[in-house]
Amino acid sequence: MMGRVTRLLQHPIRAVRRLYKPPSLPWGFEGAVQGALRPVEPSASFRAGLRGNLTLAAQRKMSGLVVEYPKPFREGVILGLSTGLLAAVVTALVLIFRSRLVGAKR
Amino acid sequence: MPEPDESACIEAAKTDPDVFGELYERYVDRIYNYIFHRVGNVHDAEDLTSRTFFRALSHLGSYQDQGVPFSAWLYRIAHNLVANWHRDRGRHHVVALDELIIKSLPHEHPEVMAEIQDDAQQLKAAIRRLDATRQELLVLKFSEGLSNAEIGSIMGRSEGAIKSLYHRTLLAMRKDFLRKGLDIE
């Protein structure tokens, strides 16, 4: 039954498909979009640096070590610790300097 | 399907770090370009490009030639990383278009160049308003110069579906333009 219905509908569907013409795009629009998405290249230093890191990682992998990209939180931890340490050193120096000034005044 | 020399190169790269370097040189520009247009800045583009190749290196052993080009495999990795990046930052619909420099042609009149740049700005804004899938399609099509079949293998859709989506995307952009009283011919 379904097959018969499908066969009956085949011709009208084909006819509609032939008659339907999708809206055409204006000439030049595609070119304009392409112009807005011009290709970009990475910097030479980045490219060379990454190549070096990958070669090193590949060598480590060949020797059975796990290859892992440094996680961002590690960078954050290092940056945080460095900033904290620097702040502590500066504070300590200021306190020492200040206490010496106060001592000298007395 | 990867080219014969590429298939051999991929197999060799599994055991030889230098050969992986050759594969990297072959694809780094394309992957960087794709990521740059999807994330919108150099810093994240460099970070995600690095991650893409590190992930490719660590999973290269499990890569098998199943009729899908190696480049499609790399794009899939990049695509997943970009999707995670957008999810983590809650930044959607961001395209690196503001940082693109429109190189002026030496023989073009300044007024013509100004008009071209204005059109490009309007187009960038229109692309930014598209959803992530359509943005990806346009980047792969125009910036990467891939065919509908190649885009389909990257985005997990048929060639016909890509063709249809592409046509609908451009029509939607055009409609968006006309609604704003703009026109590009």
Side-chain angles (χ1 to χ4, degrees), chain B residues 25-40:
Chain B
E25 290 290 348
R26 197 178 290 186
Y27 293 108
V28 63
D29 285 355
R30 290 169 64 182
I31 296 297
Y32 175 86
N33 182 47
Y34 167 75
I35 293 174
F36 179 82
H37 281 293
R38 298 292 321 281
V39 300

Side-chain angles (χ1 to χ4, degrees), chain B residues 18-100:
Chain B
D18 289 333
V19 182
F20 185 79
E22 284 174 29
L23 278 176
Y24 162 79
E25 290 290 348
R26 197 178 290 186
Y27 293 108
V28 63
D29 285 355
R30 290 169 64 182
I31 296 297
Y32 175 86
N33 182 47
Y34 167 75
I35 293 174
F36 179 82
H37 281 293
R38 298 292 321 281
V39 300
N41 67 80
V42 172
H43 180 263
D44 288 314
E46 289 183 348
D47 181 51
L48 291 174
T49 303
S50 303
R51 284 170 193 278
T52 300
F53 282 98
F54 266 88
R55 190 172 285 187
L57 175 65
S58 62
H59 291 86
L60 192 65
S62 60
Y63 173 81
Q64 285 181 330
D65 177 8
Q66 291 176 328
V68 178
F70 183 69
S71 59
W73 185 69
L74 282 177
Y75 279 119
R76 286 306 305 174
I77 295 174
H79 164 88
N80 291 336
L81 289 169
V82 168
N84 289 345
W85 182 88
H86 279 297
R87 193 196 58 211
D88 292 347
R89 284 165 176 75
R91 290 186 205 167
H92 299 284
H93 307 255
V94 179
V95 180
L97 302 165
D98 290 336
E99 297 180 29
L100 293 179

Side-chain angles (χ1 to χ4, degrees), chain A residues 41-48, chain B residues 32 46:
Chain A
E41 282 184 7
S43 68
S45 59
F46 165 74
R47 187 206 293 260
Chain B
Y32 175 86
E46 289 183 348

Side-chain angles (χ1 to χ4, degrees), chain B residues 115-147:
Chain B
E115 199 177 321
I116 290 169
Q117 292 215 8
D118 188 44
D119 286 348
Q121 287 299 327
Q122 298 291 349
L123 277 165
K124 289 168 194 173
I127 295 167
R128 241 180 264 127
R129 287 191 290 272
L130 296 171
D131 62 52
T133 308
R134 290 181 175 201
Q135 283 186 26
E136 183 175 15
L137 167 61
L138 291 184
V139 171
L140 292 171
K141 180 102 182 163
F142 289 126
S143 197
E144 299 292 302
L146 301 182
S147 68

